[in-house]
Amino acid sequence: GVYPQGIADMFAELDKAKPVDIYINSGGGDVFAALAICSIIKRHEGETVGHIDGIAASAASVIACACDKIEMPEYAQMMIHRPWTYAYGNADDLLEACDMLGKAEESMVSIYKGKLAAGADEDKLREALKTETWYTGKDIGDMFVVSVTKSESAAAALSDYYGTYKNQPKPDPEPKADHGKDKAAERTAMIAVFKKFYK
């Protein structure tokens, strides 16, 4: 929901030498809009810090990697994948779309490479893009240089793109009840909870 012109207007009002904190909570969007936002961020002379509050998926992950530094809590998520599009027409039209996607991917890779962690190389990055890879703050250090922080949970990020992703993590299943526990103790604990919230 954030477009390049809005970002350009915001940066135009800032002192070019001062640091900027950029808070990201997005399921993604148009790759070319993201690349334009990356260019705007990189032109800023002061330090830029991308804070992944909840999620930086798809094009939003490219924007995060355009920042000088990335910070995220261990429970936040970042997802990378190859760019995709919808195309129709004859063979020439489809080949042109393939060429456009290939060039878009090269642009994305050039930005991601600036944030690769020690031990991660371009081959590993391209394989992660190919398979659509989701990272949390706990495991992202294997691929990208990110500072893991201890911060409060962010508001939900809503996106029409979520339904199109292949490997979106599923929530952990509810723990199974231990029927061997003392039923009286369980009942007492439940009553205490109800009393707390329903006075």
Side-chain angles (χ1 to χ4, degrees), residues 189-199:
M190 288 175 65
I191 291 171
V193 170
F194 279 111
K195 284 182 176 179
K196 180 179 178 181
F197 291 102
Y198 301 99
K199 294 180 179 178

Side-chain angles (χ1 to χ4, degrees), residues 55-141:
I55 187 169
S58 190
S61 68
V62 182
I63 294 171
C65 287
C67 299
D68 295 321
K69 294 180 180 178
I70 305 172
E71 295 185 356
M72 66 187 289
E74 63 180 16
Y75 53 76
Q77 296 185 14
M78 179 172 166
M79 183 274 276
I80 64 173
H81 68 152
R82 301 183 76 187
W84 45 260
T85 190
Y86 299 102
Y88 64 92
N90 61 33
D92 290 337
D93 297 323
L94 298 181
L95 288 171
E96 184 178 346
C98 289
D99 183 57
M100 176 269 295
L101 284 173
K103 290 177 179 177
E105 182 169 339
E106 293 309 308
S107 295
M108 292 167 55
V109 167
S110 70
I111 294 170
Y112 286 136
K113 283 169 63 176
K115 287 292 178 291
L116 286 180
D121 57 19
E122 186 174 335
D123 289 339
K124 183 177 179 181
L125 170 64
R126 288 186 184 275
E127 186 60 30
L129 288 167
K130 184 178 179 180
T131 57
E132 184 189 299
T133 305
W134 293 74
Y135 301 97
T136 66
K138 293 180 180 179
D139 56 22
I140 197 168

Side-chain angles (χ1 to χ4, degrees), residues 136-190:
T136 66
K138 293 180 180 179
D139 56 22
I140 197 168
D142 293 336
M143 181 62 76
F144 296 108
V145 177
V146 173
S147 296
V148 179
T149 62
K150 300 287 184 182
S151 60
E152 296 300 317
S153 182
L158 304 177
S159 173
D160 293 336
Y161 286 88
Y162 288 139
T164 63
Y165 299 146
K166 296 185 300 183
N167 300 325
Q168 187 175 353
K170 303 292 187 289
D172 292 334
E174 290 291 328
K176 293 181 179 178
D178 183 356
H179 296 292
K181 286 184 177 178
D182 183 348
K183 295 296 180 185
E186 283 185 3
R187 192 177 309 112
T188 301
M190 288 175 65

